[in-house]
Each structure stands twice: as structure tokens, then as C-alpha cells.
Amino acid sequence: MNMSDNYELNEQDIDRTLNFLRIFDPENATPEQAIAFLEYMYVGAHMMQHTDPKTVEELYSKFLEQDILK
């Protein structure tokens, strides 16, 4: 699957997702599963922008409240 010209999978994202899987689904904690999950999440977020933009706005507002970037 080609995710987009705007985003390319990278080792850091795969490693982080693999660590997540090791905690929450150790039986399926493989690099292939991590890549598949990242692709699934990317497509899901893209589709949500088209089908439920209000929820995307709410999620973004909650993200901003966390002050992650400061």
C-alpha cells in the first residue's frame, strides 16, 4: 500500500508501534504487523477526516490541550 507522498513509514515509527504491540498484543508483535497497523491507522485517520470531521476537530483540540509540543 502506498500511504502518501506526505508520509513515509520510518524505523522509529515501526519500532514504537512494535513496542506498543509487545505490550498489548505480544503474540502478534512483529515488524510486519506493526507496519500493517500503521497503514491501517493512517487510512482510518484519512477516512475519518472525510466522514467525521467534527470528531477530528475534537481530537485535535484534546491534543492541543496536552501541551505536547511545549
Side-chain angles (χ1 to χ4, degrees):
M1 181 185 130
N2 181 2
M3 291 182 62
S4 172
D5 291 335
N6 298 326
Y7 174 78
E8 289 186 29
L9 284 173
N10 59 65
E11 289 300 317
Q12 184 178 23
D13 290 343
I14 295 168
D15 288 343
R16 287 178 177 171
T17 303
L18 191 51
N19 286 334
F20 170 85
L21 291 173
R22 286 182 183 130
I23 294 167
F24 293 100
D25 190 12
E27 292 180 15
N28 292 304
T30 64
E32 295 81 13
Q33 187 73 357
I35 291 168
F37 184 56
L38 285 167
E39 290 175 343
Y40 175 80
M41 294 297 293
Y42 179 84
V43 170
H46 179 80
M47 293 303 296
M48 185 182 277
Q49 288 178 319
H50 293 288
T51 61
D52 193 2
K54 186 68 175 167
T55 297
V56 174
E57 290 174 24
E58 290 169 3
L59 288 170
Y60 188 68
S61 292
K62 288 179 183 178
F63 166 75
L64 292 176
E65 290 172 5
Q66 295 181 19
D67 259 352
I68 291 173
L69 300 176
K70 293 181 182 178

